[in-house]
Structures are given as structure tokens and as C-alpha cells.
Amino acid sequence: MSKNALTVEYYGQVEAHLDTIRSLAIWASRPEISILAGGKTGRNYLVRDARGTYVARFSPLNNDILGIDRARVEHNASIAGRGGVGPRVIASYPGHDLLIVEYIDGEILSTKHARERHAIERAANLFKKLHDLEGFQGYYDPLLDAESYVQKARGLHAWVPEHIDAHIVRMRRRLDELRPIAPAACHFDPNLKNIIVDKKGDLTLIDWEYAQNGDKRFDIAMYSTNAQFDSEQENAFLAAYGADIHSEELHVMKALVSLSLASYGILQNATSERTSEFNYKEHAESELKIFSSLIGS
């Protein structure tokens, strides 16, 4: 597809989204709408009316291929909102693959801020609060999901890295060596762009598409990786979190994080309508290099 065609497609989708948002009956006045930058999956819009400010989140066109269940997203996001770890869900429109949520006034958490002592403690408390929530739907196994993503890409005759099957086998062996732990409510995508810090320094997790029950060590490993914690900062986080989770376990989970992100890039490279905006193949190749450095032989 040419650059001009992609531009037409992009603005056509945006205009359709704007028309949908304006047509909703929930607004107290004519809404003011602007596009929110970021997000590799869906599209987000900031909406203001006479009552307040909200975020309108449209799921991607390849929603089903990615395995995102919109009813489960709404259910788990609602529990997270009521539990004080995510924005409150205001309304849901399944026919439009649209969720309206509370707008959290703040900034995306920076690496610099995340590594400060008070932020480490607040993040640990945030994740502990999340992992103690009850009532989440679904169970997520990142490795099974990675295998599924790779097979779907193969089924579409798309690019698949040469040694990906061997990587998956090696990862399964390492995971089998870990002690089992009880499933907990997890976010499963806690990159720093999905964490808002408000003026008081409080943290809120946003974007709950992948949230399900599962291994809480994955959440902690992904957050530690994205915050670029050194060993001292990671130990401080674990101490504040207050559970029996060890750095050795997180090392294995960090490899799983990279393999999971690589598989996401592989499938998105094959199916996403946003390949002109984000280089998913490059993303996958970068994560596989990190995986190889972590997993060893």
C-alpha cells in the first residue's frame, strides 16, 4: 500500500471514530475530541464534555487474532477501577469495540522517575494491590500465547524468525524449573507508557486489554525491565512488594517477557493495520536478541 493510501486509510478510520464518539448519548454537551498519541494496539481519544474528561479506547481491527476478548477486558478493567489500580470504566459499546474510561490527569511514568526510591515503593504497593484483587476473568499463559501468535503468523505465510521454535522449547524448559505459584490478577502489559503518575505521585495502570489471572512474576519482571532497575532497585521493589519472589525467578521471567514481546511483534507484523506507524518486525528482532542474552544455552 502506498504512503498516500495509508494516509487516506488512517484519516478514514479516525473520522469514523470521531463520528462514533459524537453519536454517543452519554455526553452532557457536545464533546471536544483530540487524538491521544501512543499505543501500539488500539486507538485512543481524549474526550471533554460539560461533566468531565474521559478516554475513548477503540480496540484494533485484528482484535480476534490477538485474542483480546472485549467482554473480559471490560470486566477486568472495571474490577481494577473499583480496586483503585486503574481508571474507572464509564461505559462500554461492544458494537463499536469501544470503552469509555475515566481520564487520569498526570504524566506517563518516566524511567528516571520510576527508579527513584519513593516511586519504587509506590509501584510495589500498586502491583501488590493489583495482585490481591479478586474476580478477574480468564487465565493467561504468555508462552502458550507466544506459540499461538507464531503459528497464526505462519498460517498467514508471513515472516517468522528462523529459530523461534527452538527459543520456545528452551523457554518451556526454564519455566518448568520454576516453583509453581497461585494465579493472581495481573495486568500483563505494564510498560511505563501504561502507567500514569499524578501530581501527588500516585500511580495508575491503564490499558487493560491483556489483563487476566496468571503468574504475577511476569508483571514484576516486565515492570523491572521497563524501569531499567539495577539489582539494588529491584531488591528494593521486592522488599516493598513483600512477597517471596526472588531475583533468580525474575531473570527467567524477563526472558519470557522478551519472547512474549517478540511473538507479539511477529503477529502484528503480519496482521496490524498500523505497520506504517510502528516497525513490528524490528521490534520482534530486537526482543529476540534480548531473549537470547537472558536465556543462555
Side-chain angles (χ1 to χ4, degrees):
M1 187 179 292
S2 69
K3 183 176 180 180
N4 286 340
L6 286 168
T7 301
V8 170
E9 180 184 33
Y10 170 78
Y11 283 107
Q13 185 183 65
V14 169
E15 284 302 321
H17 287 167
L18 296 179
D19 288 343
T20 296
I21 294 169
R22 293 188 188 105
S23 72
L24 303 179
I26 65 169
W27 310 122
S29 61
R30 179 175 174 81
E32 298 178 8
I33 311 169
S34 56
I35 299 172
L36 282 174
K40 300 193 297 293
T41 306
R43 296 202 185 277
N44 305 319
Y45 301 83
L46 187 68
V47 186
R48 293 185 176 89
D49 73 354
R51 266 194 303 256
T53 306
Y54 314 90
V55 175
R57 296 184 48 76
F58 287 90
S59 61
L61 297 179
N62 59 350
N63 201 41
D64 293 337
I65 293 175
L66 289 173
I68 298 173
D69 182 328
R70 297 309 300 177
R72 185 182 64 223
V73 171
E74 179 186 353
H75 176 88
N76 294 346
S78 296
I79 290 176
R82 292 194 298 270
V85 297
R88 292 180 298 110
V89 173
I90 306 300
S92 174
Y93 299 90
H96 298 295
D97 282 335
L98 170 63
L99 205 62
I100 308 294
V101 301
E102 170 190 21
Y103 171 69
I104 304 298
D105 188 11
E107 298 180 351
I108 291 172
L109 182 63
S110 68
T111 304
K112 180 181 178 181
H113 190 167
R115 299 177 69 184
E116 295 172 357
R117 181 74 191 200
H118 70 280
I120 290 173
E121 293 175 352
R122 291 190 180 193
N125 291 333
L126 174 71
F127 281 98
K128 182 71 168 97
K129 196 173 182 180
L130 163 62
H131 296 155
D132 285 342
L133 290 177
E134 296 181 353
F136 264 30
Q137 293 178 349
Y139 179 84
Y140 184 68
D141 182 328
L143 187 56
L144 285 179
D145 209 45
E147 291 180 282
S148 173
Y149 280 10
V150 170
Q151 292 308 315
K152 286 176 181 178
R154 277 205 177 98
L156 295 168
H157 306 288
W159 168 80
V160 172
E162 183 180 359
H163 301 295
I164 190 67
D165 293 327
H167 292 331
I168 290 172
V169 169
R170 291 163 72 196
M171 189 71 253
R172 177 59 68 191
R173 289 194 190 120
R174 295 298 298 275
L175 289 174
D176 287 343
E177 296 170 357
L178 292 181
R179 65 189 173 98
I181 63 174
C186 294
H187 186 277
F188 282 117
D189 190 21
N191 66 71
L192 299 193
K193 291 182 179 179
N194 285 340
I195 300 176
I196 302 298
V197 54
D198 66 20
K199 294 177 181 178
K200 297 184 294 183
D202 292 332
L203 305 180
T204 301
L205 282 158
I206 61 173
D207 296 8
W208 291 85
E209 272 73 11
Y210 294 97
Q212 298 181 60
N213 296 295
D215 194 325
K216 59 190 176 184
R217 293 172 295 193
F218 187 93
D219 267 1
I220 296 171
M222 179 177 274
Y223 182 73
S224 177
T225 296
N226 289 320
Q228 299 177 24
F229 285 163
D230 58 27
S231 59
E232 182 179 347
Q233 290 160 341
E234 187 171 279
N235 288 334
F237 180 98
L238 293 176
Y241 183 83
D244 185 24
I245 296 175
H246 309 294
S247 295
E248 295 81 3
E249 295 176 304
L250 293 191
H251 183 85
V252 175
M253 280 292 167
K254 287 175 184 177
L256 179 57
V257 167
S258 288
L259 186 59
S260 176
L261 292 173
S263 71
Y264 168 86
I266 291 165
L267 185 58
Q268 285 283 58
N269 180 67
T271 65
S272 177
E273 74 275 15
R274 303 186 66 176
T275 52
S276 64
E277 302 169 51
F278 190 85
N279 191 328
Y280 291 105
K281 182 178 179 181
E282 186 178 279
H283 169 75
E285 291 173 329
S286 174
E287 290 297 336
L288 285 177
K289 287 180 181 177
I290 296 171
F291 168 81
S292 295
S293 70
L294 290 168
I295 201 67
S297 57

